[in-house]
Amino acid sequence: AFGTARPPKEATAADTAPYSHERGHGWRRSEGLTLVRGNPTGLVNNCLRGGSDEEGVFLVDLVPGHWLATVRIAPGRESVGPMEIRVNGHRVAESLMVAAEGVHTLTAPVVHRGAGPLELAFRGARGWAVSSLALQPLLFQSEDFVFDRGWWHLEGVFTP
């Protein structure tokens, strides 16, 4: 959660904290980030804002595998956009606009290979905002299921 004075027990207040391996998450650079707190406090009344044409990169340590990343943007009294969101360099949203007092939720599938932390990058010509981020595991890389490799084929054995 970003900007929430008392996040729910399921959430962690990330706010403007810089990344550290001990914490497991944080911003690559926290300079220029601004917390916007509304009333009442809550996940959809608060956000963190970044400046025009400035990229904000949030880093999260994750177990390698397939994940769902859900980003919620509730910019408060000022609209935001157009903005884009990238996950590990792949664009998951572009030209995203959220009206003042509006809320936009975006969920994207993410494959994290484990070479360093997951990177979520935010950028907007007139600034950007983020209110919360939720990461839900679907399948860990160590589990024996087929998502991104070929099916097993054994000579002489029926394979569906």
Side-chain angles (χ1 to χ4, degrees):
F2 301 97
T4 303
R6 289 177 308 222
K9 65 180 179 181
E10 303 84 18
T12 300
D15 295 341
T16 60
Y19 173 80
S20 76
H21 185 66
E22 294 77 30
R23 186 181 301 114
H25 66 268
W27 294 95
R28 180 174 285 152
R29 287 185 44 242
S30 58
E31 298 85 22
L33 302 178
T34 305
L35 292 175
V36 177
R37 291 196 164 118
N39 192 7
T41 61
L43 292 177
V44 296
N45 298 315
N46 304 281
C47 69
L48 183 132
R49 285 184 168 266
S52 298
D53 284 325
E54 296 208 5
E55 183 175 67
V57 179
F58 191 75
L59 306 168
V60 183
D61 292 336
L62 291 180
V63 173
H66 296 264
W67 294 76
L68 286 179
T70 301
V71 175
R72 181 163 292 125
I73 302 162
R77 294 183 179 166
E78 294 181 35
S79 64
V80 67
M83 62 178 275
E84 75 172 20
I85 302 171
R86 292 179 180 267
V87 178
N88 282 348
H90 300 284
R91 185 180 299 129
V92 295
E94 63 180 317
S95 302
L96 179 62
M97 308 269 297
V98 184
E101 305 297 334
V103 177
H104 185 87
T105 302
L106 169 77
T107 300
V110 174
V111 177
H112 183 58
R113 301 287 180 210
L118 180 77
E119 296 186 4
L120 294 107
F122 303 87
R123 179 184 285 272
R126 293 189 308 243
W128 53 269
V130 60
S131 299
S132 66
L133 166 66
L135 295 163
Q136 178 183 358
L138 291 176
L139 181 70
F140 295 119
Q141 185 173 308
S142 60
E143 294 179 292
D144 193 19
F145 294 99
V146 177
F147 259 52
D148 52 2
R149 63 176 168 78
W151 289 97
W152 295 335
H153 293 283
L154 300 175
E155 198 66 38
V157 177
F158 172 74
T159 304

